Amino acid sequence: MINIKSNTYIILLSLSVFLSCGYAQSNRSTLNGGVDKYEEKKYSDAEVDFRKVVENSPKNFEANFNLGTSYYKQEKYGDAIKSFQSAFENAKDDESRGKVYHNIGNSLLKSDKIEQSVEAYKNALKFNPNDQDTKYNLSYALEMLKNKDKDKNKQDKNDKDKKDQDKKDQEQQNQDQKNNDKDKQNQKQNPQPKDQESKQDNTKQPQQPKEQKISKDEANRILDALKDNEKDLQKLLRKKTGKVKKTEKDW
């Protein structure tokens, strides 16, 4: 995984510049004081000094540029870009313009504005084609842009799949609702008596007992039993009267 070159440029000026007047010398002292604080990583203190110079001399390239770098280090990327743009308007050579665009590209990249950072790095190379740090950062930004497009395409596909599935689910739900409504309508048109079964049971006639049929063998057994009873009866009568009275059979 490649990383962005984080060496945001800062302009370091010698004390020999602007010594011709007291006002310029005051700006120079404040500007250099800001540079010292910046190198000590006291970025908010450096910002105060650079902003003082910008207020006194709005077209001062060094003050605007360095103010932008102090904003950048504090992750105030929007303010940084504005200061770099002011510096660009007052740049006097292509090398300085290239450094401005390099820093603008870094600020945009940190703001997740990858497409715009690519354009800024390209502009930087137009002014300073041999800047290796800018070439490196441009390659890094292009790789990020490529990955971002892949992620976007994947997300778009996922969103489309989810949308299609939601549509199918909704259609199925609507169809189920239609079926339920149709069933309810049919029940209204063709009502069924709740106690139909019980009514049918109440209308049944009581069943007559079926005549039981006996087999021939069973009939013979019954007949034999009757004959035995008759013999016992005759013996009993004989004892009482001394005569046997025959009974007539009716079978």
Side-chain angles (χ1 to χ4, degrees):
M1 182 67 173
I2 57 176
N3 294 316
I4 184 173
K5 293 288 185 179
S6 60
N7 57 315
T8 304
Y9 292 114
I10 184 169
I11 303 298
L12 302 177
L13 300 174
S14 66
L15 295 176
S16 59
V17 182
F18 302 127
L19 293 179
S20 58
C21 66
Y23 180 78
Q25 186 173 359
S26 175
N27 282 345
R28 175 57 46 207
S29 176
T30 304
L31 186 62
N32 286 343
V35 170
D36 291 338
K37 293 171 184 175
Y38 180 93
E39 290 180 333
E40 294 172 1
K41 298 183 179 181
K42 298 178 180 179
Y43 303 121
S44 60
D45 294 337
E47 173 196 335
V48 173
D49 288 343
F50 295 143
R51 192 166 57 246
K52 286 180 180 179
V53 178
V54 169
E55 291 172 354
N56 291 331
S57 182
K59 294 185 178 181
N60 187 305
F61 171 80
E62 293 85 357
N64 281 291
F65 190 96
N66 290 353
L67 179 59
T69 60
S70 66
Y71 282 139
Y72 177 89
K73 289 296 186 179
Q74 297 175 79
E75 300 182 358
K76 300 177 181 179
Y77 302 120
D79 292 332
I81 291 172
K82 291 178 182 179
S83 293
F84 291 138
Q85 290 171 340
S86 297
F88 181 84
E89 294 174 359
N90 297 284
K92 296 179 173 59
D93 55 73
D94 286 345
E95 183 178 1
S96 297
R97 296 185 182 96
K99 290 179 179 180
V100 169
Y101 266 113
H102 175 95
N103 286 2
I104 290 176
N106 288 355
S107 300
L108 290 168
L109 195 62
K110 288 288 188 177
S111 302
D112 199 31
K113 298 178 180 179
I114 305 175
E115 297 90 339
Q116 296 179 39
S117 72
V118 168
E119 295 304 315
Y121 291 135
K122 287 180 179 180
N123 286 331
L125 290 175
K126 288 178 182 179
F127 293 110
N128 190 6
N130 297 322
D131 191 319
Q132 297 301 315
D133 288 343
T134 301
K135 290 180 180 179
Y136 183 95
N137 287 0
L138 175 59
S139 298
Y140 176 76
L142 289 171
E143 185 67 20
M144 286 187 65
L145 185 60
K146 181 180 178 180
N147 293 334
K148 183 178 181 180
D149 290 340
K150 287 182 180 179
D151 293 340
K152 184 177 183 302
N153 292 336
K154 183 178 180 180
Q155 184 62 42
D156 290 344
K157 184 179 183 302
N158 291 338
D159 291 343
K160 184 178 182 300
D161 291 343
K162 185 178 184 302
K163 185 177 180 180
D164 292 342
Q165 186 60 46
D166 290 344
K167 183 179 179 181
K168 290 180 181 179
D169 293 342
Q170 185 62 45
E171 290 176 350
Q172 184 61 46
Q173 184 177 355
N174 292 339
Q175 185 61 42
D176 292 342
Q177 184 62 43
K178 288 181 180 179
N179 293 337
N180 291 335
D181 293 342
K182 186 176 180 181
D183 292 341
K184 291 179 180 179
Q185 186 65 27
N186 289 336
Q187 291 177 1
K188 289 181 179 179
Q189 294 176 354
N190 302 292
Q192 295 294 331
K194 295 182 180 179
D195 57 347
Q196 181 180 13
E197 184 175 349
S198 62
K199 287 183 179 179
Q200 289 177 353
D201 293 340
N202 293 334
T203 59
K204 291 182 180 179
Q205 296 295 329
Q207 295 182 353
Q208 296 294 332
K210 293 182 179 179
E211 181 180 356
Q212 296 182 353
K213 294 182 179 180
I214 60 176
S215 65
K216 182 178 181 181
D217 293 338
E218 189 175 8
N220 290 331
R221 285 195 299 270
I222 295 173
L223 182 59
D224 291 339
L226 291 174
K227 288 180 179 180
D228 292 338
N229 290 336
E230 182 181 359
K231 289 178 181 179
D232 293 338
L233 179 60
Q234 288 177 355
K235 289 179 180 181
L236 180 61
L237 292 174
R238 192 178 298 119
K239 289 179 180 180
K240 290 182 178 182
T241 63
K243 295 181 179 181
V244 177
K245 185 179 180 180
K246 293 184 179 179
T247 58
E248 295 181 358
K249 299 179 183 179
D250 58 354
W251 62 78

